[in-house]
Amino acid sequence: MRALIQRVTEASVSVDGQIIGQTGPGLMILVCAMQGDDETAAEKLAARIAKLRIFRDDAGKMNRSLADTGGGALVVSQFTLAADTKSGNRPGFSAAAPPDQGRFLYELFAAALRALGPHVETGEFGAEMKVSLVNDGPVTIWMDSADRG
């Protein structure tokens, strides 16, 4: 699975003009299930993100995790993280998991993160969504479950 993680002071996602998910200080996580991903990939990625030390400690260093801060997370499905831009001007998305598997792994990822303690809200899989956020820092981190065993 791939994730784009942004440390935020606030974030929200809306569908048809209605906010369906939001968080205060914490993380905005765009996530994409890739071909070949399984439950283990979703659970491991959630655990890595929960422990990711990108929040400031008392000395101002990025040394605290989401778990340490008690912050929340907004998780939004984002199949375009699978974009292949190696040739041409139109990205290809064939590396993304099929929609049914993508939905399953997206929901599993959000549930696994929630089980680790943070308050987690989500977008709506497959919907046309509007995402708003205030990136804190700015801090933006790219993670891929294929990068680690």
Side-chain angles (χ1 to χ4, degrees):
M1 293 187 77
R2 290 185 178 165
L4 185 70
I5 302 125
Q6 295 175 294
R7 187 177 75 189
V8 298
T9 57
E10 61 184 70
S12 65
V13 61
S14 60
V15 174
D16 296 329
Q18 299 290 354
I19 293 176
I20 62 167
Q22 59 188 355
T23 189
L27 299 176
M28 169 72 219
I29 306 168
L30 302 174
V31 66
C32 176
M34 305 294 290
Q35 291 278 348
D37 283 340
D38 59 13
E39 293 90 343
T40 301
E43 292 165 350
K44 283 184 177 180
L45 187 61
R48 286 179 61 205
I49 291 172
K51 296 175 188 173
L52 189 64
R53 297 183 337 179
I54 60 171
F55 294 92
R56 293 180 193 94
D57 63 14
D58 292 337
K61 296 185 188 251
M62 290 197 303
N63 201 29
R64 299 180 73 207
S65 69
L66 186 62
D68 296 331
T69 65
L74 178 60
V75 178
V76 175
S77 62
Q78 184 74 50
F79 81 93
T80 60
L81 292 178
D84 178 357
T85 59
K86 291 180 184 154
S87 64
N89 295 318
R90 183 177 178 187
F93 302 103
S94 60
D100 288 344
Q101 182 182 15
R103 177 187 305 270
F104 171 74
L105 291 173
Y106 161 70
E107 290 173 355
L108 180 67
F109 171 84
L113 186 60
R114 191 176 288 118
L116 294 168
H119 177 78
V120 175
E121 294 198 14
T122 62
E124 182 181 327
F125 186 90
E128 183 74 24
M129 295 176 278
K130 304 291 185 211
V131 177
S132 297
L133 62 100
V134 177
N135 194 318
D136 181 23
V139 174
T140 302
I141 308 284
W142 170 270
M143 293 181 85
D144 193 315
S145 60
D147 291 343
R148 262 173 96 173

PDB file of all heavy atoms in Angstrom, residues 61-87:
ATOM      1  N   LYS A  61      11.948  19.373  18.207  1.00  0.00           N
ATOM      2  CA  LYS A  61      12.425  18.361  17.256  1.00  0.00           C
ATOM      3  C   LYS A  61      11.293  17.392  16.923  1.00  0.00           C
ATOM      4  O   LYS A  61      10.436  17.108  17.758  1.00  0.00           O
ATOM      5  CB  LYS A  61      13.603  17.576  17.849  1.00  0.00           C
ATOM      6  CG  LYS A  61      14.801  18.432  18.100  1.00  0.00           C
ATOM      7  CD  LYS A  61      15.959  17.587  18.570  1.00  0.00           C
ATOM      8  CE  LYS A  61      17.094  18.482  18.996  1.00  0.00           C
ATOM      9  NZ  LYS A  61      18.192  18.466  18.112  1.00  0.00           N
ATOM     10  N   MET A  62      11.308  16.882  15.687  1.00  0.00           N
ATOM     11  CA  MET A  62      10.305  15.883  15.295  1.00  0.00           C
ATOM     12  C   MET A  62      10.677  14.568  15.981  1.00  0.00           C
ATOM     13  O   MET A  62      11.527  13.818  15.508  1.00  0.00           O
ATOM     14  CB  MET A  62      10.248  15.720  13.777  1.00  0.00           C
ATOM     15  CG  MET A  62       9.657  16.917  13.086  1.00  0.00           C
ATOM     16  SD  MET A  62       9.119  16.638  11.381  1.00  0.00           S
ATOM     17  CE  MET A  62      10.595  16.060  10.596  1.00  0.00           C
ATOM     18  N   ASN A  63      10.040  14.332  17.115  1.00  0.00           N
ATOM     19  CA  ASN A  63      10.414  13.198  17.941  1.00  0.00           C
ATOM     20  C   ASN A  63       9.208  12.518  18.582  1.00  0.00           C
ATOM     21  O   ASN A  63       9.381  11.646  19.418  1.00  0.00           O
ATOM     22  CB  ASN A  63      11.400  13.676  19.022  1.00  0.00           C
ATOM     23  CG  ASN A  63      12.219  12.553  19.588  1.00  0.00           C
ATOM     24  OD1 ASN A  63      12.483  11.565  18.912  1.00  0.00           O
ATOM     25  ND2 ASN A  63      12.623  12.690  20.838  1.00  0.00           N
ATOM     26  N   ARG A  64       7.996  12.946  18.209  1.00  0.00           N
ATOM     27  CA  ARG A  64       6.789  12.366  18.810  1.00  0.00           C
ATOM     28  C   ARG A  64       5.905  11.793  17.712  1.00  0.00           C
ATOM     29  O   ARG A  64       5.843  12.310  16.602  1.00  0.00           O
ATOM     30  CB  ARG A  64       6.026  13.443  19.593  1.00  0.00           C
ATOM     31  CG  ARG A  64       6.865  14.014  20.742  1.00  0.00           C
ATOM     32  CD  ARG A  64       6.143  15.061  21.527  1.00  0.00           C
ATOM     33  NE  ARG A  64       5.127  14.394  22.340  1.00  0.00           N
ATOM     34  CZ  ARG A  64       4.006  14.986  22.749  1.00  0.00           C
ATOM     35  NH1 ARG A  64       3.760  16.233  22.428  1.00  0.00           N
ATOM     36  NH2 ARG A  64       3.142  14.321  23.475  1.00  0.00           N
ATOM     37  N   SER A  65       5.191  10.742  18.047  1.00  0.00           N
ATOM     38  CA  SER A  65       4.303  10.064  17.101  1.00  0.00           C
ATOM     39  C   SER A  65       2.859  10.502  17.317  1.00  0.00           C
ATOM     40  O   SER A  65       2.535  11.179  18.301  1.00  0.00           O
ATOM     41  CB  SER A  65       4.400   8.552  17.297  1.00  0.00           C
ATOM     42  OG  SER A  65       3.822   8.194  18.550  1.00  0.00           O
ATOM     43  N   LEU A  66       2.001  10.070  16.425  1.00  0.00           N
ATOM     44  CA  LEU A  66       0.570  10.332  16.574  1.00  0.00           C
ATOM     45  C   LEU A  66       0.077   9.750  17.898  1.00  0.00           C
ATOM     46  O   LEU A  66      -0.695  10.385  18.610  1.00  0.00           O
ATOM     47  CB  LEU A  66      -0.192   9.714  15.393  1.00  0.00           C
ATOM     48  CG  LEU A  66      -1.683  10.006  15.298  1.00  0.00           C
ATOM     49  CD1 LEU A  66      -1.929  11.498  15.118  1.00  0.00           C
ATOM     50  CD2 LEU A  66      -2.301   9.226  14.151  1.00  0.00           C
ATOM     51  N   ALA A  67       0.556   8.575  18.221  1.00  0.00           N
ATOM     52  CA  ALA A  67       0.179   7.945  19.489  1.00  0.00           C
ATOM     53  C   ALA A  67       0.626   8.796  20.677  1.00  0.00           C
ATOM     54  O   ALA A  67      -0.101   8.920  21.666  1.00  0.00           O
ATOM     55  CB  ALA A  67       0.782   6.544  19.581  1.00  0.00           C
ATOM     56  N   ASP A  68       1.822   9.394  20.581  1.00  0.00           N
ATOM     57  CA  ASP A  68       2.341  10.231  21.668  1.00  0.00           C
ATOM     58  C   ASP A  68       1.533  11.505  21.855  1.00  0.00           C
ATOM     59  O   ASP A  68       1.404  12.001  22.970  1.00  0.00           O
ATOM     60  CB  ASP A  68       3.798  10.634  21.396  1.00  0.00           C
ATOM     61  CG  ASP A  68       4.750   9.454  21.365  1.00  0.00           C
ATOM     62  OD1 ASP A  68       4.491   8.441  22.035  1.00  0.00           O
ATOM     63  OD2 ASP A  68       5.767   9.555  20.638  1.00  0.00           O
ATOM     64  N   THR A  69       1.040  12.072  20.767  1.00  0.00           N
ATOM     65  CA  THR A  69       0.370  13.374  20.833  1.00  0.00           C
ATOM     66  C   THR A  69      -1.120  13.278  21.113  1.00  0.00           C
ATOM     67  O   THR A  69      -1.735  14.264  21.487  1.00  0.00           O
ATOM     68  CB  THR A  69       0.538  14.147  19.511  1.00  0.00           C
ATOM     69  OG1 THR A  69      -0.130  13.436  18.469  1.00  0.00           O
ATOM     70  CG2 THR A  69       2.005  14.346  19.179  1.00  0.00           C
ATOM     71  N   GLY A  70      -1.718  12.114  20.892  1.00  0.00           N
ATOM     72  CA  GLY A  70      -3.163  11.983  21.040  1.00  0.00           C
ATOM     73  C   GLY A  70      -3.927  12.626  19.897  1.00  0.00           C
ATOM     74  O   GLY A  70      -5.127  12.860  20.002  1.00  0.00           O
ATOM     75  N   GLY A  71      -3.231  12.900  18.788  1.00  0.00           N
ATOM     76  CA  GLY A  71      -3.872  13.510  17.630  1.00  0.00           C
ATOM     77  C   GLY A  71      -4.772  12.533  16.892  1.00  0.00           C
ATOM     78  O   GLY A  71      -4.788  11.339  17.163  1.00  0.00           O
ATOM     79  N   GLY A  72      -5.524  13.062  15.950  1.00  0.00           N
ATOM     80  CA  GLY A  72      -6.430  12.263  15.144  1.00  0.00           C
ATOM     81  C   GLY A  72      -5.897  12.076  13.738  1.00  0.00           C
ATOM     82  O   GLY A  72      -4.841  12.608  13.375  1.00  0.00           O
ATOM     83  N   ALA A  73      -6.641  11.329  12.951  1.00  0.00           N
ATOM     84  CA  ALA A  73      -6.247  11.087  11.560  1.00  0.00           C
ATOM     85  C   ALA A  73      -7.480  11.115  10.668  1.00  0.00           C
ATOM     86  O   ALA A  73      -8.544  10.619  11.042  1.00  0.00           O
ATOM     87  CB  ALA A  73      -5.538   9.747  11.431  1.00  0.00           C
ATOM     88  N   LEU A  74      -7.294  11.694   9.503  1.00  0.00           N
ATOM     89  CA  LEU A  74      -8.303  11.651   8.453  1.00  0.00           C
ATOM     90  C   LEU A  74      -7.715  10.799   7.338  1.00  0.00           C
ATOM     91  O   LEU A  74      -6.653  11.123   6.801  1.00  0.00           O
ATOM     92  CB  LEU A  74      -8.637  13.053   7.948  1.00  0.00           C
ATOM     93  CG  LEU A  74      -9.648  13.133   6.805  1.00  0.00           C
ATOM     94  CD1 LEU A  74     -10.991  12.521   7.205  1.00  0.00           C
ATOM     95  CD2 LEU A  74      -9.831  14.583   6.367  1.00  0.00           C
ATOM     96  N   VAL A  75      -8.377   9.689   7.019  1.00  0.00           N
ATOM     97  CA  VAL A  75      -7.894   8.740   6.020  1.00  0.00           C
ATOM     98  C   VAL A  75      -8.798   8.819   4.790  1.00  0.00           C
ATOM     99  O   VAL A  75     -10.013   8.639   4.903  1.00  0.00           O
ATOM    100  CB  VAL A  75      -7.879   7.301   6.583  1.00  0.00           C
ATOM    101  CG1 VAL A  75      -7.429   6.309   5.523  1.00  0.00           C
ATOM    102  CG2 VAL A  75      -6.989   7.224   7.822  1.00  0.00           C
ATOM    103  N   VAL A  76      -8.186   9.091   3.631  1.00  0.00           N
ATOM    104  CA  VAL A  76      -8.937   9.258   2.389  1.00  0.00           C
ATOM    105  C   VAL A  76      -8.337   8.349   1.327  1.00  0.00           C
ATOM    106  O   VAL A  76      -7.120   8.346   1.124  1.00  0.00           O
ATOM    107  CB  VAL A  76      -8.904  10.732   1.921  1.00  0.00           C
ATOM    108  CG1 VAL A  76      -9.567  10.904   0.568  1.00  0.00           C
ATOM    109  CG2 VAL A  76      -9.570  11.630   2.964  1.00  0.00           C
ATOM    110  N   SER A  77      -9.187   7.591   0.651  1.00  0.00           N
ATOM    111  CA  SER A  77      -8.712   6.732  -0.436  1.00  0.00           C
ATOM    112  C   SER A  77      -8.265   7.601  -1.606  1.00  0.00           C
ATOM    113  O   SER A  77      -8.889   8.610  -1.921  1.00  0.00           O
ATOM    114  CB  SER A  77      -9.820   5.769  -0.878  1.00  0.00           C
ATOM    115  OG  SER A  77     -10.929   6.476  -1.384  1.00  0.00           O
ATOM    116  N   GLN A  78      -7.156   7.196  -2.244  1.00  0.00           N
ATOM    117  CA  GLN A  78      -6.576   8.020  -3.299  1.00  0.00           C
ATOM    118  C   GLN A  78      -5.878   7.116  -4.319  1.00  0.00           C
ATOM    119  O   GLN A  78      -4.674   6.926  -4.272  1.00  0.00           O
ATOM    120  CB  GLN A  78      -5.573   8.996  -2.675  1.00  0.00           C
ATOM    121  CG  GLN A  78      -4.971   9.974  -3.641  1.00  0.00           C
ATOM    122  CD  GLN A  78      -5.934  11.050  -4.050  1.00  0.00           C
ATOM    123  OE1 GLN A  78      -6.554  11.666  -3.211  1.00  0.00           O
ATOM    124  NE2 GLN A  78      -6.064  11.278  -5.332  1.00  0.00           N
ATOM    125  N   PHE A  79      -6.653   6.540  -5.248  1.00  0.00           N
ATOM    126  CA  PHE A  79      -6.076   5.599  -6.204  1.00  0.00           C
ATOM    127  C   PHE A  79      -5.026   6.247  -7.096  1.00  0.00           C
ATOM    128  O   PHE A  79      -4.162   5.559  -7.657  1.00  0.00           O
ATOM    129  CB  PHE A  79      -7.161   4.918  -7.049  1.00  0.00           C
ATOM    130  CG  PHE A  79      -7.648   5.734  -8.206  1.00  0.00           C
ATOM    131  CD1 PHE A  79      -7.076   5.588  -9.462  1.00  0.00           C
ATOM    132  CD2 PHE A  79      -8.674   6.658  -8.050  1.00  0.00           C
ATOM    133  CE1 PHE A  79      -7.528   6.345 -10.538  1.00  0.00           C
ATOM    134  CE2 PHE A  79      -9.125   7.408  -9.117  1.00  0.00           C
ATOM    135  CZ  PHE A  79      -8.548   7.247 -10.361  1.00  0.00           C
ATOM    136  N   THR A  80      -5.029   7.571  -7.209  1.00  0.00           N
ATOM    137  CA  THR A  80      -4.057   8.221  -8.081  1.00  0.00           C
ATOM    138  C   THR A  80      -2.631   8.138  -7.523  1.00  0.00           C
ATOM    139  O   THR A  80      -1.678   8.467  -8.241  1.00  0.00           O
ATOM    140  CB  THR A  80      -4.433   9.686  -8.368  1.00  0.00           C
ATOM    141  OG1 THR A  80      -4.496  10.405  -7.148  1.00  0.00           O
ATOM    142  CG2 THR A  80      -5.763   9.771  -9.102  1.00  0.00           C
ATOM    143  N   LEU A  81      -2.447   7.683  -6.286  1.00  0.00           N
ATOM    144  CA  LEU A  81      -1.095   7.436  -5.783  1.00  0.00           C
ATOM    145  C   LEU A  81      -0.423   6.297  -6.549  1.00  0.00           C
ATOM    146  O   LEU A  81       0.789   6.131  -6.464  1.00  0.00           O
ATOM    147  CB  LEU A  81      -1.116   7.110  -4.289  1.00  0.00           C
ATOM    148  CG  LEU A  81      -1.506   8.242  -3.350  1.00  0.00           C
ATOM    149  CD1 LEU A  81      -1.534   7.747  -1.913  1.00  0.00           C
ATOM    150  CD2 LEU A  81      -0.573   9.426  -3.485  1.00  0.00           C
ATOM    151  N   ALA A  82      -1.208   5.532  -7.309  1.00  0.00           N
ATOM    152  CA  ALA A  82      -0.669   4.441  -8.126  1.00  0.00           C
ATOM    153  C   ALA A  82      -0.255   4.912  -9.513  1.00  0.00           C
ATOM    154  O   ALA A  82       0.111   4.106 -10.365  1.00  0.00           O
ATOM    155  CB  ALA A  82      -1.715   3.327  -8.245  1.00  0.00           C
ATOM    156  N   ALA A  83      -0.293   6.202  -9.755  1.00  0.00           N
ATOM    157  CA  ALA A  83      -0.040   6.745 -11.093  1.00  0.00           C
ATOM    158  C   ALA A  83       1.313   6.310 -11.649  1.00  0.00           C
ATOM    159  O   ALA A  83       2.335   6.390 -10.981  1.00  0.00           O
ATOM    160  CB  ALA A  83      -0.110   8.267 -11.068  1.00  0.00           C
ATOM    161  N   ASP A  84       1.274   5.855 -12.891  1.00  0.00           N
ATOM    162  CA  ASP A  84       2.486   5.553 -13.649  1.00  0.00           C
ATOM    163  C   ASP A  84       2.646   6.681 -14.659  1.00  0.00           C
ATOM    164  O   ASP A  84       1.824   6.843 -15.560  1.00  0.00           O
ATOM    165  CB  ASP A  84       2.344   4.206 -14.353  1.00  0.00           C
ATOM    166  CG  ASP A  84       3.550   3.845 -15.195  1.00  0.00           C
ATOM    167  OD1 ASP A  84       4.502   4.655 -15.295  1.00  0.00           O
ATOM    168  OD2 ASP A  84       3.551   2.738 -15.760  1.00  0.00           O
ATOM    169  N   THR A  85       3.711   7.451 -14.493  1.00  0.00           N
ATOM    170  CA  THR A  85       3.938   8.611 -15.355  1.00  0.00           C
ATOM    171  C   THR A  85       5.210   8.445 -16.197  1.00  0.00           C
ATOM    172  O   THR A  85       5.777   9.423 -16.666  1.00  0.00           O
ATOM    173  CB  THR A  85       4.066   9.893 -14.515  1.00  0.00           C
ATOM    174  OG1 THR A  85       5.154   9.732 -13.592  1.00  0.00           O
ATOM    175  CG2 THR A  85       2.785  10.172 -13.753  1.00  0.00           C
ATOM    176  N   LYS A  86       5.618   7.197 -16.396  1.00  0.00           N
ATOM    177  CA  LYS A  86       6.876   6.946 -17.105  1.00  0.00           C
ATOM    178  C   LYS A  86       6.828   7.314 -18.578  1.00  0.00           C
ATOM    179  O   LYS A  86       7.845   7.649 -19.164  1.00  0.00           O
ATOM    180  CB  LYS A  86       7.270   5.479 -16.953  1.00  0.00           C
ATOM    181  CG  LYS A  86       7.685   5.137 -15.546  1.00  0.00           C
ATOM    182  CD  LYS A  86       8.062   3.689 -15.430  1.00  0.00           C
ATOM    183  CE  LYS A  86       8.379   3.390 -13.977  1.00  0.00           C
ATOM    184  NZ  LYS A  86       8.171   2.016 -13.648  1.00  0.00           N
ATOM    185  N   SER A  87       5.667   7.222 -19.192  1.00  0.00           N
ATOM    186  CA  SER A  87       5.602   7.565 -20.615  1.00  0.00           C
ATOM    187  C   SER A  87       4.307   8.306 -20.924  1.00  0.00           C
ATOM    188  O   SER A  87       3.293   8.115 -20.259  1.00  0.00           O
ATOM    189  CB  SER A  87       5.698   6.302 -21.477  1.00  0.00           C
ATOM    190  OG  SER A  87       4.590   5.470 -21.259  1.00  0.00           O
TER     191      SER A  87
END
